[in-house]
Amino acid sequence: MPQVPQTFDALAVRAWCGLALDALGRAREEIDAINVYPVADGDTGTNLYLTLESAATAVEAVFVGHEAGGAHPGPTLADAVRAMAHGALIGARGNSGTILAQLLRGMAQVLAGDDAPPHADGRGLGLALRHAADSARQAVAHPVEGTVLTVASAAADAAGGVDGDCGAVARAAHEGARAALAETPDRLEVLRRAGVVDAGGRGLVTVLAALVETLTGETPRGAAAREPGLHARVDATHTPAEPCADTADAPGPGGSAFEVIYLLEAEDAAVARLRDRLDALGDSLVVVGGDGLWNVHVHVDDAGAAVEAGVEAGRPYRIRITHFGAGDAHAGGAERTPAERVQRAVVAVVPGEGLAALYAEAGATAVLARPGEPPASGELVQAVRRAHAREVVLLPNDAELRHTAAAAAEQVRAEGVRVALIPTRSAVQGIAALAVHEPERRFDEDVVAMTSAAGATRYAEVTVAERQSWTMAGICQAGDVLGLVDGDVAVIGQDVTETALAVLDRMLAAGGELVTLVVGDGAPESVAERLEARVREGYLAVDTVAYHGGRQGSVLLIGVE
């Protein structure tokens, strides 16, 4: 038997995330298929997978950071669980994913507290599971029994009744969750009528099974195969059963029209007021997070009002609005009529809200990447699916995202979509590619033209150094302004505008016909005007176009075609 940890430490967190992600990947379609509550939108398994993928990516980044810095020993349990909770929070999808994020955050609050030990024993793990279940229930405006909340509470109850090591506690939690899941149809009428167990609860049982495997090296009963009591009767097409229209808790026909999700930077007092406002607007309200960062999920008829409420509370971003209409991907049962696929679409990762609007205006499906938080492959897969096209051109717009985009492309190719990945390394290269995109052209010809345009565009960025480090241009200090050309530091300066002018001169020394400027929120107001004046005065026959990029990480992006 392979060696397994006797306590719950950082390595165990890393292993648990990996095993749970694999398990959810295998169970995703089955969980999607039994999703009838609170809306029969057939995406609970996918949402849980994407949420946990974000958590696993964050944990892996912590380990990579320690290894790159030569730190020994590696990350602590507190480091790992904080990363797991934060990753889940920023990547949470749907009702189920938002609750899973709060479950992981609840665990982290116990395992990464001020008095937390470097590793948790069985008692500590049990306390973490208890706090996770309680905090998730508190995050839901109107908790309903027979859902994932019931399953989480049962897991915590069972774990609290065991006096043993982490493996024994995990086994008890899993068994308690399995038993509660099997009883969910008896506690929620919409599940009984559909002949299914709760989809979110089914996903949590899968995650807990992975915890058992992490801590014991054994796959628990029911985790590897279909088993009566844990699985739904589903047809060959995996169409979710229709929810009962006369069930008060289940919004069937006539329910809320939109699902609204966003991340929110706000103070606790403002979030308390936001909860009351959103509770009056709709249902299925879940608000999770803390320490200034929250994930908000609600079903409403007026999506604009839900977003405006977030604006009043703080700064909402990564806003996602999904329509629960007939013919939409989230319509349930017999109303579900798949729309005809378009022939071709472009999916692009963009670093700021301004660019996201620009790309969308040009007809692309934009995936917004927050600074320091790149999208996972699952998020790109979902974007390609949303594009609903037979042929897709994928623009990662970041050298670091090339492998992530390649993995996403492979997955959707297996679903019958023709995908071409253009290895754009900056959003300005993506703009150049999008400018020559012609959907009516043959796919191969279009891809060649877009690739050529991107490759002919040199790219640069102006940013501020966060720490002292060695660069191609010498040693920089924290707070220095860096000018990077084609990914390498070329200029170190003290002033954003002067550094940008130096970078622009270097780029145009090799010639150019068009300069593209993408100005971030942190740039001086006059920087675009100064750069445009430099081009007019010193480089004849070169045109300039400027866009507002919003909060994009870099102060300024520059492209020269």
Side-chain angles (χ1 to χ4, degrees):
M1 179 184 296
Q3 185 176 1
V4 295
Q6 300 303 306
T7 56
F8 194 63
D9 58 10
L11 287 171
V13 173
R14 185 187 203 183
W16 180 31
C17 286
L19 289 170
L21 189 62
D22 288 345
L24 283 175
R26 293 190 299 271
R28 179 183 62 79
E29 289 187 5
E30 175 201 323
I31 297 172
D32 283 347
I34 64 174
N35 173 201
V36 299
Y37 182 86
V39 176
D41 48 1
D43 63 359
T44 290
T46 298
N47 287 337
L48 288 170
Y49 178 86
L50 293 174
T51 302
L52 195 56
E53 183 181 46
S54 183
T57 299
V59 171
E60 197 60 31
V62 167
F63 275 88
V64 170
H66 273 72
E67 290 163 5
H72 184 77
T76 64
L77 172 62
D79 293 333
V81 293
R82 284 195 196 106
M84 175 179 67
H86 181 71
L89 177 67
I90 64 172
R93 296 301 190 90
N95 191 73
S96 54
T98 308
I99 292 174
L100 175 61
Q102 187 64 15
L103 287 168
L104 297 180
R105 177 178 170 80
M107 291 187 70
Q109 287 174 322
V110 172
L111 299 174
D114 294 337
D115 301 323
H119 50 74
D121 56 13
R123 180 176 177 278
L125 180 59
L127 290 172
L129 291 169
R130 175 78 274 159
H131 187 65
D134 293 345
S135 62
R137 188 172 288 270
Q138 291 164 8
V140 178
H142 302 285
V144 174
E145 297 305 326
T147 65
V148 62
L149 298 176
T150 304
V151 175
S153 294
D157 291 343
V162 171
D163 184 14
D165 63 12
C166 287
V169 170
R171 279 197 191 94
H174 176 253
E175 286 300 318
R178 284 183 70 255
L181 178 64
E183 295 172 0
T184 53
D186 299 328
R187 307 191 72 169
L188 194 55
E189 179 67 10
V190 65
L191 301 178
R192 186 188 67 77
R193 294 199 181 193
V196 298
V197 295
D198 179 67
R202 171 70 180 88
L204 180 58
V205 168
T206 301
V207 172
L208 290 173
L211 181 62
V212 174
E213 187 175 355
T214 298
L215 295 169
T216 68
E218 300 171 359
T219 302
R221 181 166 59 96
R226 298 181 66 86
E227 180 182 3
L230 289 191
H231 304 273
R233 50 165 181 77
V234 294
D235 62 28
T237 60
H238 296 288
T239 301
E242 190 77 64
C244 173
D246 61 0
T247 300
D249 292 318
S256 297
F258 298 97
E259 177 185 59
V260 178
I261 305 173
Y262 49 80
L263 289 177
L264 177 72
E265 293 177 353
E267 299 299 322
D268 291 7
V271 172
R273 293 191 295 271
L274 175 66
R275 289 178 192 268
D276 293 339
R277 174 86 180 275
L278 292 178
D279 193 26
L281 284 174
D283 51 42
S284 295
L285 173 61
V286 187
V287 181
V288 305
D291 302 320
L293 181 62
W294 308 82
N295 192 305
V296 178
H297 170 280
V298 66
H299 293 173
V300 292
D301 285 326
D302 189 344
V307 176
E308 286 171 11
V311 172
E312 291 174 8
R315 193 184 83 85
Y317 58 98
R318 283 200 182 178
I319 300 166
R320 291 190 291 271
I321 299 173
T322 303
H323 181 229
F324 291 135
D328 184 83
H330 285 68
E335 290 182 293
R336 222 183 200 190
T337 9
E340 181 67 24
R341 286 184 181 273
V342 298
Q343 183 59 33
R344 190 173 309 158
V346 176
V347 173
V349 180
V350 292
E353 294 91 343
L355 278 181
L358 175 68
Y359 273 74
E361 217 174 276
T365 297
V367 178
L368 186 60
R370 191 179 185 220
E373 296 166 1
S377 63
E379 193 168 351
L380 298 185
V381 169
Q382 286 296 94
V384 172
R385 288 173 180 157
R386 284 201 311 273
H388 205 55
R390 298 182 183 90
E391 302 167 340
V392 172
V393 179
L394 188 55
L395 305 175
N397 290 341
D398 186 335
E400 298 296 323
L401 285 177
R402 184 170 181 179
H403 295 301
T404 301
E410 282 302 312
Q411 184 171 340
V412 292
R413 283 187 190 116
E415 299 173 8
V417 180
R418 190 178 184 190
V419 182
L421 171 61
I422 297 178
T424 48
R425 293 175 289 175
S426 169
V428 290
Q429 288 189 322
I431 291 173
L434 203 54
V436 300
H437 168 56
E438 292 185 16
E440 298 78 18
R441 194 160 41 192
R442 286 181 56 243
F443 185 63
D444 291 339
E445 292 176 357
D446 198 27
V447 170
V448 168
M450 293 175 74
T451 303
S452 177
T457 302
R458 299 188 69 199
Y459 64 97
E461 65 175 305
V462 177
T463 188
V464 178
E466 295 181 356
R467 63 184 67 87
Q468 182 189 62
S469 59
W470 290 88
T471 75
M472 297 287 287
I475 300 175
C476 72
Q477 305 296 327
D480 284 349
V481 181
L482 307 180
L484 291 81
V485 178
D486 294 337
D488 293 323
V489 176
V491 179
I492 300 175
Q494 302 300 313
D495 179 80
V496 169
T497 302
E498 293 304 318
T499 303
L501 288 168
V503 168
L504 182 62
D505 285 337
R506 283 185 179 234
M507 296 180 76
L508 287 175
E513 297 176 359
L514 175 66
V515 173
T516 300
L517 306 174
V518 182
V519 184
D521 282 345
E525 290 184 9
S526 62
V527 66
E529 185 180 332
R530 290 281 304 277
L531 292 170
E532 288 172 341
R534 174 65 62 88
V535 173
R536 281 196 308 271
E537 295 163 4
Y539 303 95
L540 300 177
V542 177
D543 294 324
T544 308
V545 60
Y547 304 106
H548 177 64
R551 188 180 180 185
Q552 60 184 25
S554 299
V555 176
L556 177 72
L557 299 177
I558 304 174
V560 174
E561 298 178 47

